[in-house]
Amino acid sequence: MTVHFRQVTIVGVGLIGGSMGMILKRQGLADRVVGVGRSLGNLELAVQHGAIDAFERDPKAAMKGAELVILATPVESYAGHLKEWGRVLEPGTIVSDVGSVKGSLVGQVEVLVPAGVHFVGAHPIAGKETSGVMAASTDLFTGALCIITPTANTDSQALLTMQHVWAAMGSVVRSIDPFVHDWILGAVSHLPHVAAFALMNALTDLQQRTEGGAELLEYAGGGLRDTTRIAESSLEMWRDIFLGNPENLSVMIEALEKELQRFKTLIQAKDGPGLEHEIARAREARQRLK
Amino acid sequence: MTVHFRQVTIVGVGLIGGSMGMILKRQGLADRVVGVGRSLGNLELAVQHGAIDAFERDPKAAMKGAELVILATPVESYAGHLKEWGRVLEPGTIVSDVGSVKGSLVGQVEVLVPAGVHFVGAHPIAGKETSGVMAASTDLFTGALCIITPTANTDSQALLTMQHVWAAMGSVVRSIDPFVHDWILGAVSHLPHVAAFALMNALTDLQQRTEGGAELLEYAGGGLRDTTRIAESSLEMWRDIFLGNPENLSVMIEALEKELQRFKTLIQAKDGPGLEHEIARAREARQRLK
């Protein structure tokens, strides 16, 4: 199977969208990569950095001739985008995305694309501490997982095409039901982010209760730094992810609360063997994460 | 002020005790460094690795002639050690430690050392993911904090001596009340360890509730890895730290539970601005941790 696009249009040319554009060009998968975005300065940077060939300020103009459209903006913006320019897409066009939540969103987007246009959800599990198109690179996805989330409505040819695109990005591609995707990512990504944000906020609370004026964070070692590194992640992105996965996150935060409570009870009871058991369980699970 | 010891005896020659021995010898602070420990093989390694000059299997023999004794074993063992050999120490000897909890323990140890022997608590905030004397090095403490925890009973000359010793180790030395130490370390070190252990255990619970056989940890990215790195820390050490700081940890785990609950409530209410506020608070605090 060979995949080739005359034009790919990328909506939102940041770290992920920009890296995709670079690789599409480098691999010869697209004759032309067109960017769309709110910031003229960013689009100009994206051209200079080799992430896109050209850009359009008018999204409808950018969709003309596009055989593949990639949504690389926050998931909350998808509906607005599709309402704005969805109807100008030609039949056969594939619309895909790179969002971190899927679940019911996939069904909502499927309804919004016109008849004959195919939506395929995708989520590359890749990122960096730096964001923006200047951080885009051709090796961002190398060896990283990309989860594609087909449904019963997904066009099988469009699904194959997107699997091929993501393999060309260097990713390890897996297809998973959108709701299962949100359960899995809820556990291994969204919950750790809640935990890291909550830990930083707990430290702010404890700082306010610290007598004698000591600055707690001055005493932090590598452990706290590692544990809370992801608490610096993008505000808008994580707000939208939390809003997009509320049922799973509720259950998962409760699971974490239950485990914290278990530690608290054992500590209050000075139960050495009980603490050993809980710490040993955690260490064994962590060792499997290598 | 010049500090020099004819003999320093180190009880427990692992990463911390071994690194201290190496530096005491390298800096010419001690004519002779004697090790004591349970494992003959480890003590032989410690001599080969240059951490100690000699060792004694009989702790009482190892105390003969010691002007400084360093307890570098788990804090739970201090009372047993001092009951075994405390009475053979000569007046003027300094007993110090490297333990991660202080609080009431310092007062308990002060009572156990004979009249004329001076106890000074110390806690170098240094460590590695690897433990054991083979990981000992002369730069372990370089630039790291060492907290010395004097009380109203602490001999001022012994305190000055230990401040000098830790400055010679390359540490940044601060003196803090033992109870304040446990509050501070509870917040920036013990609580993050509870959080990391609890998060791994929550993931094990969630794995059991995962339908369709997906292995959650196969989908983990760098975020989860960072957040739970310290969940691989030593079982015995952390059991003892949790048992040694129960009142503070109770309060602190509750502070974390409260913050998690706040996120859960905002997520369930789909309160975007509320989530933004909480994430922004966390990000700002984390940025101060640079």
Side-chain angles (χ1 to χ4, degrees), chain A residues 174 183 201 205 209-210 218-219 225 228 233 235 239 250 257 259 264 268 276 283 286 289, chain B residues 174 183 205 210 218-219 225 228 233 235 239 250-251 257 259 264 268 276 282-283 286 289:
Chain A
R174 294 207 194 175
W183 171 264
N201 287 349
D205 301 347
R209 289 146 78 180
T210 299
E218 283 182 20
Y219 297 88
R225 265 171 244 276
T228 59
S233 306
L235 198 164
R239 177 200 59 201
S250 261
E257 287 176 321
E259 295 300 331
K264 190 176 63 179
Q268 286 172 341
E276 264 180 52
R283 295 180 80 233
R286 182 58 178 77
L289 188 52
Chain B
R174 295 208 193 172
W183 172 263
D205 301 346
T210 299
E218 282 181 20
Y219 296 87
R225 265 170 244 276
T228 59
S233 306
L235 199 163
R239 177 200 59 203
S250 261
V251 169
E257 287 176 321
E259 295 301 331
K264 190 176 64 180
Q268 287 172 340
E276 264 180 52
R283 295 181 80 232
R286 182 58 179 77
L289 187 54

Side-chain angles (χ1 to χ4, degrees), chain A residues 41-54:
Chain A
N42 184 65
L43 291 168
E44 284 169 346
L45 271 182
V47 172
Q48 282 166 29
H49 197 51
I52 53 176
D53 295 303

Side-chain angles (χ1 to χ4, degrees), chain A residues 45 48 51 66 89 96 109 124 126 141 153 215 226 229 234 243 266 282-283 288:
Chain A
L45 271 182
Q48 282 166 29
L89 299 175
S96 188
V109 175
F141 308 113
N153 306 315
E215 285 288 336
D226 283 350
R229 183 160 295 126
S234 154
L243 292 173
L266 292 168
R283 295 180 80 233
R288 285 198 298 275

Side-chain angles (χ1 to χ4, degrees), chain B residues 74-93:
Chain B
V75 293
E76 300 282 315
S77 68
Y78 293 2
H81 284 306
L82 286 163
K83 282 172 190 160
E84 185 180 359
W85 45 256
R87 64 196 158 74
V88 310
L89 299 174
E90 283 171 38
T93 304

